[in-house]
Amino acid sequence: MREHAPGCRVLAVVKANAYGHGIVTAARSLAADAFAVARLDEALALREAGIDARIVLLEGVQDAGELEVAAAQGLEPFVCDDRQLALLERWRGARTFRVWLKIDSGMGRLGFRPAEVRRAAARLAGCAGVAQPPLLATHLAESEARGNAHTRAQLACFAEATTGLPGERSIANSAGLIAWPEARADWVRPGIMLYGISPFPDSTGAALGLRPVMRFETRVIAVKDLAAGDRVGYGGAWAATGPARIAIAAAGYGDGYPRAAVNGTPVLVKGRPGALAGRVSMDMIAIDVSGRDDVAAGDPVQLWGPELPIERVAAAAGTIAYELACRVSRRVPHQLA
Ligand SMILES: Cc1ncc(COP(=O)(O)O)c(C=O)c1O
């Protein structure tokens, strides 16, 4: 990550349980300059684990009670709208907040519109409880599309809205910092790439020099030989066209394996490629291992991981790797390699 954005400070995004990797484990493993989470509870999980690094709240605080907690825990809220600004104006506590002024340069989600930025900055400058100057941040909506006109417009919009304002800048997520060097600014905000996953739909982490850290594995619990016409799973969405062998593996959508994965989605059985056969059940999948006589109950199955890019599985399920990583469910035993 540091090689991709030399000289920048790194605000490591560990929200959503570090994209499913374990927020505390991730924070302890990453040499970041600060951590970013979406919500207060996530910041508290880090503090409870004894992590005393800087922590930024990307959605800011939602009420005065949250502001109190943020103060007590030394958190740095994004300030996205007048409601959050007013909370800071009313703050009478002893603690001073470092805050990040969020600007909506074209994401259309949170943040002050460009025309409102100077007024918001002036109000923040008048807040006794705010360390000066605030940091300035925006978020890109299409940074994974290289050379994209909307991203160019967002960069211009942010530059114009913040011209002359003091304060460190932060613009780029993973795709932004790789594909848009001009967006690196003072602080980069990578999430997905920290976990070795590509932010681009058409590449893998490995192709970008990243190393995937999640290994989603299970094992074979049955092997069956089928004859032509035998159906497999709900709806009979797969049927043998001739003699076939199917391995049943103990993982399903109840574990976070995507139900939308189609016939043929790659699965590694004992290190060799097999193909998903039929619908994903809650607890099981079937894998076509026809022609192999080396497969037996107990054999290891990799659903994704260093040897089977999560990006390939995501593509076969019509989604993005972010979603798959995030939604590995709690019943899956998580262990550190
Ligand atoms: C405001 C903000 N910054 C940075 C990120 C990190 O993005 P990525 O995981 O694509 O690097 C996110 C993730 O959604 C985000 O919401």
Side-chain angles (χ1 to χ4, degrees):
M1 170 48 239
R2 298 266 181 203
E3 283 170 21
H4 278 279
C8 297
R9 267 178 286 173
V10 177
L11 177 53
V13 180
V14 294
K15 63 195 169 93
N17 200 27
Y19 294 41
H21 292 72
I23 188 169
V24 171
T25 305
R28 287 194 179 133
S29 309
L30 291 165
D33 298 294
F35 295 108
V37 295
R39 315 212 177 113
L40 189 63
D41 283 352
E42 299 175 307
L44 295 181
L46 292 175
R47 287 286 185 255
E48 277 158 24
I51 289 158
D52 59 7
R54 289 175 63 177
I55 301 178
V56 176
L57 296 172
L58 294 174
E59 294 176 2
V61 293
Q62 303 311 319
D63 54 42
E66 287 201 2
L67 192 64
E68 290 274 354
V69 179
Q73 300 295 334
L75 309 177
E76 304 180 19
F78 267 41
V79 181
C80 306
D81 54 28
D82 283 339
R83 188 176 59 95
Q84 293 180 332
L85 235 174
L87 290 172
L88 286 165
E89 285 173 330
R90 287 199 292 270
W91 172 251
R92 295 288 172 264
R95 285 292 270 275
T96 303
F97 289 94
R98 200 164 1 200
V99 304
W100 299 59
L101 177 60
K102 176 77 180 282
I103 296 157
D104 180 4
S105 60
M107 179 70 175
R109 231 169 38 174
L110 298 178
F112 290 92
R113 306 308 301 263
E116 303 167 337
V117 169
R118 273 155 220 287
R119 183 185 53 80
R123 280 176 65 186
L124 280 175
C127 288
V130 170
Q132 302 298 330
L135 295 93
L136 304 168
T138 194
H139 191 44
L140 301 174
E142 293 185 54
S143 53
E144 71 283 358
R146 297 170 196 265
N148 165 277
H150 185 69
T151 304
R152 219 171 289 122
Q154 281 200 265
L155 295 176
C157 170
F158 180 72
E160 194 184 320
T162 58
T163 301
L165 292 179
E168 294 169 352
R169 269 88 167 146
S170 178
I171 304 170
N173 56 358
S174 299
L177 74 92
I178 296 172
W180 300 85
E182 64 271 46
R184 289 180 191 154
D186 300 298
W187 287 84
V188 289
R189 294 192 314 274
I192 198 81
M193 69 182 292
L194 298 175
Y195 311 105
I197 301 171
S198 172
F200 303 105
D202 55 356
S203 77
T204 61
L208 297 170
L210 306 171
R211 202 155 19 98
V213 292
M214 183 187 286
R215 199 181 268 281
F216 190 20
E217 291 177 329
T218 184
R219 60 187 171 195
V220 174
I221 55 171
V223 178
K224 312 183 73 147
D225 287 316
L226 307 182
D230 287 347
R231 292 157 45 120
V232 172
Y234 288 111
W238 190 93
T241 52
R245 177 165 287 178
I246 288 291
I248 306 296
Y253 62 80
D255 302 290
Y257 191 83
R259 186 175 177 281
V262 295
N263 279 333
T265 299
V267 185
L268 290 185
V269 181
K270 238 178 150 177
R272 288 175 52 199
L276 184 71
R279 283 216 191 118
V280 174
S281 305
M282 187 182 289
D283 316 304
M284 284 175 256
I285 53 173
I287 307 156
D288 183 0
V289 291
S290 298
R292 287 177 65 175
D293 55 12
D294 64 328
V295 178
D299 281 347
V301 172
Q302 188 174 117
L303 303 162
W304 58 72
E307 290 80 33
L308 174 55
I310 189 172
E311 297 90 342
R312 282 185 63 200
V313 181
T319 184
I320 53 174
Y322 292 74
E323 185 184 3
L324 296 193
C326 280
R327 72 179 197 195
V328 174
S329 74
R330 282 170 53 171
R331 94 164 159 187
V332 177
H334 287 56
Q335 18 181 290
L336 282 180

